[in-house]
């Protein structure tokens, strides 16, 4: 199993990535090369390894070392820093899920066209800023037949620790990327036109006088459909709604007019992801 190293010095520079660096700093760690992210829990780490992400080091509670011997054996040359639970909580500022973190190198993001090649149903997240919501949406997308997820600038990064953990590692199972603006895919106008060039019709999740129900047969008949979900609170940009082919609502009762974006995504993906 890896190189087991007991933590004796909190100030050791190799521990900076776990306790003294923000996720934004990790993102830029090797700039101009790709940065680092932290995977939390053995399940998330396993799925990241299966997806080809390169581990840098582990941080593990002592009591979990034997239980995770198989996982650590996959990374024999990778250092494993270890201590008791209370010591690690003091270092990181939070209790580790299942007692383990892993620092990993990011990969270069793929282009929108590559992510969408062969896809029939995709989700587009517009300025969804809460990492918990992003993680929950990815979990639903993977479970409910979405083929890919695209994110606009302003969205929380799916590889942020909390997003990846809440997704149960599904951020490593479903293809995704950001509209970068570098390939003519600026959002919303050029990005929506790019989706159309790839053969997608677009469905904006929003309330309006022209909204159709999510179970409208016309939506189910679309060969390629991009479902667009907006930020917490204010929803989609008016410009986005105006340029989409459909405006779609989820029928509700008791006067409720909206759901949390993660809950709404599960309903929409289940209905529109039927094969």
């Amino acid at each position: 199993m890896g190189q087991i190293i007991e933590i004796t010095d909190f100030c050791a520079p190799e521990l900076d990535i776990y306790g003294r660096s923000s996720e934004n700093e990790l993102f830029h760690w090797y700039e101009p090369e790709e940065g680092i992210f932290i995977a939390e829990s053995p399940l998330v780490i396993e799925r990241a390894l299966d997806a080809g992400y390169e581990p840098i080091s582990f941080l593990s509670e002592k009591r979990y070392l034997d239980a995770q011997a198989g996982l650590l054996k996959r990374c024999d040359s990778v250092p494993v820093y270890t201590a008791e639970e209370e010591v690690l909580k003091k270092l990181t500022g939070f209790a580790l899920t299942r007692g383990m973190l892993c620092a990993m190198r990011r990969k270069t993001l793929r282009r929108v066209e590559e992510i969408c090649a062969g896809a029939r149903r995709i989700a587009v997240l517009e300025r969804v800023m809460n990492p918990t919501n992003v993680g929950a949406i990815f979990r639903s997308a993977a479970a409910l037949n979405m083929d890919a997820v695209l994110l606009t600038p302003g969205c929380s990064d799916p590889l942020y620790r909390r997003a990846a953990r809440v997704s149960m590692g599904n951020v490593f199972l479903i293809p995704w990327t950001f509209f970068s603006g570098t390939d003519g895919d600026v959002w919303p106008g050029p990005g929506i036109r790019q989706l159309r060039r790839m053969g997608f019709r677009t469905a904006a999740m929003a309330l309006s006088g022209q909204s159709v129900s999510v179970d409208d047969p016309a939506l189910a008949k679309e060969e390629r459909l991009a479902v667009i979900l907006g930020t917490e609170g204010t929803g989609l940009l008016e410009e986005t709604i105006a340029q989409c082919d459909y405006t779609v609502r989820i029928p509700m009762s008791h006067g409720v007019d909206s759901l949390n974006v993660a809950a709404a995504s599960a309903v929409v993906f289940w209905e529109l992801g039927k094969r």
Side-chain angles (χ1 to χ4, degrees):
M1 116 174 47
Q3 310 168 35
I4 307 300
I5 304 169
E6 183 154 4
I7 296 171
T8 57
D9 179 10
F10 264 15
C11 296
E14 56 269 23
L15 299 178
D16 285 350
I17 53 180
Y18 294 109
R20 291 179 288 275
S21 301
S22 68
E23 293 195 281
N24 186 57
E25 289 171 329
L26 295 177
F27 185 90
H28 296 284
W29 196 264
Y30 292 121
E31 210 162 56
E33 297 181 24
E34 305 303 322
I36 296 172
F37 68 95
I38 303 296
E40 181 181 7
S41 86
L43 172 63
V44 174
I45 294 167
E46 285 268 18
R47 287 184 168 174
L49 291 173
D50 290 344
Y53 285 88
E54 176 188 349
I56 298 169
S57 65
F58 290 89
L59 187 70
S60 176
E61 290 180 34
K62 281 185 176 180
R63 62 181 173 142
Y64 285 100
L65 289 176
D66 288 341
Q68 299 305 327
L71 169 59
L72 297 175
K73 190 174 182 180
R74 292 182 61 176
C75 311
D76 270 347
S77 62
V78 178
V80 181
Y81 300 100
T82 186
E84 301 295 344
E85 178 182 8
E86 288 307 311
V87 175
L88 297 186
K89 191 185 296 185
K90 183 178 175 182
L91 171 65
T92 63
F94 57 89
L96 281 60
T97 302
R98 301 292 181 185
M100 184 172 287
L101 300 176
C102 181
M104 295 184 153
R105 284 183 175 268
R106 288 175 174 267
K107 295 181 180 182
T108 302
L109 286 178
R110 296 157 67 189
R111 298 179 63 188
V112 169
E113 292 88 346
E114 183 182 357
I115 290 294
C116 294
R120 292 188 61 249
R121 296 289 185 265
I122 65 171
V124 179
L125 308 188
E126 182 181 273
R127 302 181 302 154
V128 179
M129 296 173 279
N130 186 312
T132 298
N133 283 337
V134 169
I137 291 169
F138 265 85
R139 188 174 181 182
S140 293
L144 300 172
N145 293 315
M146 292 295 107
D147 299 312
V149 178
L150 304 178
L151 303 100
T152 74
C155 282
S156 181
D157 192 312
L159 295 187
Y160 281 175
R161 178 182 60 84
R162 182 174 295 179
R165 175 174 59 78
V166 171
S167 82
M168 299 294 287
N170 284 298
V171 295
F172 305 111
L173 299 183
I174 187 165
W176 63 270
T177 195
F178 275 88
F179 285 97
S180 64
T182 58
D183 296 317
D185 59 5
V186 180
W187 188 264
I192 291 175
R193 290 193 291 274
Q194 183 181 29
L195 291 174
R196 285 210 182 98
R197 287 195 300 272
M198 291 187 291
F200 287 96
R201 299 273 278 175
T202 50
M205 297 304 303
L207 296 174
S208 80
Q210 290 73 47
S211 294
V212 300
S213 176
V214 69
D215 59 358
D216 190 299
L219 293 168
K221 290 177 182 177
E222 294 290 355
E223 184 62 28
R224 307 188 87 188
L225 188 67
V227 181
I228 307 174
L229 299 120
T231 186
E232 303 86 351
T234 57
L236 292 172
L237 296 169
E238 288 297 328
E239 182 182 358
T240 299
I241 297 170
Q243 296 186 52
C244 283
D245 300 299
Y246 298 95
T247 305
V248 181
R249 70 180 185 279
I250 299 170
M252 300 183 205
S253 60
H254 296 97
V256 177
D257 63 0
S258 65
L259 295 173
N260 166 274
V261 65
S265 74
V267 174
V268 174
F269 297 164
W270 179 83
E271 182 63 43
L272 299 181
K274 294 176 182 177
R275 302 299 187 181

